[in-house]
Amino acid sequence: ASGTASSKYAVRPVINGTEKAADKTVSVWSSQMLTIALDRPAGGTNASGSYTYSPNDIAVGDLDGDGEYELVLKWDPSNSKDNSQKGYTGNVYVDAYKLNGTRLWRLDLGVNIRAGAHYTQILVGDYDLDGYAEVAMKTAPGTKDGTGAYLASGPAASDNDASDFRNSSGYVLSGAEYLTIFNGKTGKEMATVNYNPARGTVSSWGDSYGNRVD
């Protein structure tokens, strides 16, 4: 109750009844929100017309080991589609930002990952316990990592990154699907494996046009 705008705050964990050391001291924000400047990708044009990009889902993790969360942000094109809707979409981009607005890297998932709320789930966590969070998601031939390089490990080492598996309705119902782990600090591909479960026969999932398979 006696706090003021110039007060300093810290958190001290209590473990098994014993108070531990405080974390770093922080100041009071001058606003109830934090505004971060983003680097919006340029729009484009495809068979469905022109499109622009808006910030969409965000996952958080300590990507560079400094004890502060970074933001992993998905850029959604304005022509993104639900699984049940046909149409071509723009490429999906995924950025990593520090809270001061510094962009660490950008992934380009390529033409074989469709844009929409059901297609790209971003997982962020320190999966190898090295003190730095990694980033995982579904990828495909044509995906570029945060260094601008095409995927090159596991099954991606021998694929054709110029392949375009979109059908006339804009769905991607053939071609390889991967799961890739990216280095959180640099965005560089760390490992790629075949996606599990496999797509198999599209109609086995309940329809033949591509809704439930994705």
Side-chain angles (χ1 to χ4, degrees), residues 30-145:
S30 59
S31 170
Q32 292 296 323
M33 65 181 182
L34 177 65
T35 300
I36 300 173
L38 303 175
D39 184 8
R40 188 187 305 270
T45 303
N46 61 19
S48 293
S50 61
Y51 55 89
T52 57
Y53 283 94
S54 298
N56 196 256
D57 293 335
I58 292 178
V60 299
D62 186 0
L63 303 180
D64 57 9
D66 65 353
E68 181 179 84
Y69 277 151
E70 279 73 49
L71 309 178
V72 180
L73 178 145
K74 181 180 77 170
W75 288 101
D76 214 29
S78 54
N79 59 2
S80 66
K81 301 294 182 184
D82 183 83
N83 306 45
S84 65
Q85 300 169 333
K86 66 180 181 180
Y88 281 72
T89 73
N91 287 17
V92 176
Y93 297 103
V94 177
D95 287 354
Y97 292 95
K98 296 187 68 62
L99 294 181
N100 64 8
T102 299
R103 196 186 83 187
L104 298 178
W105 44 259
R106 169 170 289 170
L107 310 178
D108 178 356
L109 298 189
V111 299
N112 295 310
I113 296 292
R114 203 164 184 245
H118 301 277
Y119 294 104
T120 296
Q121 291 76 45
I122 301 169
L123 304 176
V124 180
D126 185 5
Y127 298 117
D128 59 3
L129 303 181
D130 65 349
Y132 303 86
E134 288 79 45
V135 180
M137 69 193 75
K138 188 170 80 170
T139 57
T143 295
K144 292 182 180 180
D145 72 9

Side-chain angles (χ1 to χ4, degrees), residues 153-183:
S153 68
S158 57
D159 66 13
N160 180 1
D161 288 304
S163 299
D164 185 342
F165 295 107
R166 294 173 295 182
N167 65 20
S168 59
S169 295
Y171 286 97
V172 181
L173 303 181
S174 62
E177 293 181 300
Y178 307 135
L179 176 69
T180 300
I181 300 281
F182 298 95
N183 182 288

Side-chain angles (χ1 to χ4, degrees), residues 11-21:
V11 174
R12 292 179 179 269
V14 178
I15 302 175
N16 295 327
T18 302
E19 186 178 280
K20 303 296 184 179

